Amino acid sequence: MIELKRLNAFVTVVEAGSITRAAELLFIQQPPLTRLLQGLEQEFGVPLLQRLPRGVITTEAGEVLLQEARAVLARAAQLTAAMHRAAQGEQGRVRIGFTSSAALHTFVPALLRRYREIYPAVSTQLEESGSGELLASVVAGELDVAFVRMRVKDMPELEMEKVLEEPMWVAVPAGHRLAAQTTGQPLKLEELSNEPFVLYRRRAGQGLYDAILAAYVRAGFSPHIVQEAPRLTSCLSLVGAGLGISIVPESMTRLGGDGVVFLPLDAATQLSAPLYLARREDSHSSAIINTFCQLVKSQLKAD
């Protein structure tokens, strides 16, 4: 296999037009450089240079080697640069998970857009799922980071940081009595005590599920759950179909939906939807994950 330094020496000799001048440029003695060129010719079995009274020129075979050597050296330089960019977290791939409600919040799309602008050489692999599934994927190494709605204490492999917190809203069918409210006053949880309730499955959204039930307990009653759905988006479809009402993060109101009206919830309910960024505890050696998490922090400060 031809060494890169031998190809570089050959190209330098041709471009300098002189073995003596090339030796000076390469900071080596002329005899070793001459032996290197002779070794190349012996290896290929053809003459590569024609010696002139003053300097050298390429033979036909040497001209072909010159073009190929330049291409190989350029590719090697690109490879070295790519390795440096990867070491700085500026090239490679990052696998990002998020819940459906996180994707609808303005912060996440804006963050991904800015990340792609700053690091165009990094490919982003996106996956949408429930918080539980996303966290399991991060632990298993299938995802690098994930935006989730719950903090867990039984996964010591994870490091979680709160990104933001948003209020919860009530979603009701368009023909519902509450949809006709014109007072503009936020709803109290007590006003929903007798309403049929559509909730997403705990396995899919454990954090929000538990927070909603806890709020009902604080209010002194239990929700009348008539249907559980696999995703928040499914909940809104069921609400639009008239099966009942639901409580969702404010970002879900951007989704809209036929037959669904969104109403603010009284702050006294102490119901909010946090958003966390999860990564593995042992991921700090990854430059690409570090740069992504640093951008999350800088985006929060900018907002």
Side-chain angles (χ1 to χ4, degrees), residues 104-136:
L104 288 170
H105 195 285
T106 55
F107 176 82
V108 174
L111 172 74
L112 294 177
R113 183 168 56 252
R114 186 181 177 202
Y115 184 75
R116 285 170 174 159
E117 291 172 352
I118 298 175
Y119 303 107
V122 177
S123 64
T124 52
Q125 176 182 321
L126 306 178
E127 180 176 331
E128 180 183 342
S129 190
S131 290
E133 292 92 336
L134 292 173
L135 292 176

Side-chain angles (χ1 to χ4, degrees), residues 216-291:
Y216 270 91
V217 170
R218 288 194 299 269
F221 58 93
S222 299
H224 174 45
I225 301 174
V226 296
Q227 182 70 48
E228 290 190 355
R231 293 285 184 270
L232 282 167
T233 49
S234 304
C235 280
L236 294 183
S237 296
L238 296 175
V239 171
L243 270 70
I245 69 168
S246 190
I247 296 178
V248 297
E250 184 181 31
S251 54
M252 296 296 294
T253 64
R254 299 180 64 224
L255 187 63
D258 294 337
V260 180
V261 175
F262 296 96
L263 303 168
L265 195 57
D266 195 309
T269 60
Q270 302 176 41
L271 256 179
S272 61
L275 185 66
Y276 299 94
L277 178 64
R279 64 185 291 182
R280 284 183 60 92
E281 282 276 4
D282 59 6
S283 68
H284 288 273
S285 60
S286 169
I288 204 163
I289 296 177
N290 289 339
T291 54

Side-chain angles (χ1 to χ4, degrees), residues 113-173:
R113 183 168 56 252
R114 186 181 177 202
Y115 184 75
R116 285 170 174 159
E117 291 172 352
I118 298 175
Y119 303 107
V122 177
S123 64
T124 52
Q125 176 182 321
L126 306 178
E127 180 176 331
E128 180 183 342
S129 190
S131 290
E133 292 92 336
L134 292 173
L135 292 176
S137 294
V138 174
V139 170
E142 297 165 356
L143 290 175
D144 297 312
V145 296
F147 291 98
V148 297
R149 288 294 189 180
M150 66 178 182
R151 178 187 288 277
V152 293
K153 298 181 179 179
D154 57 349
M155 289 183 174
E157 309 95 328
L158 291 178
E159 179 179 303
M160 304 189 69
E161 186 169 349
K162 183 182 284 188
V163 176
L164 54 86
E165 197 155 2
E166 59 178 316
M168 301 283 276
W169 283 54
V170 181
V172 302

Side-chain angles (χ1 to χ4, degrees), residues 11 24 26 30 42 45 49 57-58 64 67 77 82 88 99 164 192 197 221 234 243 275-276 280 290 303:
V11 171
E24 295 174 355
L26 294 169
Q30 184 173 333
Q42 290 172 1
L49 295 170
I57 60 172
T58 58
V64 171
Q67 302 305 319
Q88 297 297 319
T99 64
L164 54 86
L192 312 176
F197 200 78
F221 58 93
S234 304
L243 270 70
L275 185 66
Y276 299 94
R280 284 183 60 92
N290 289 339
D303 292 345

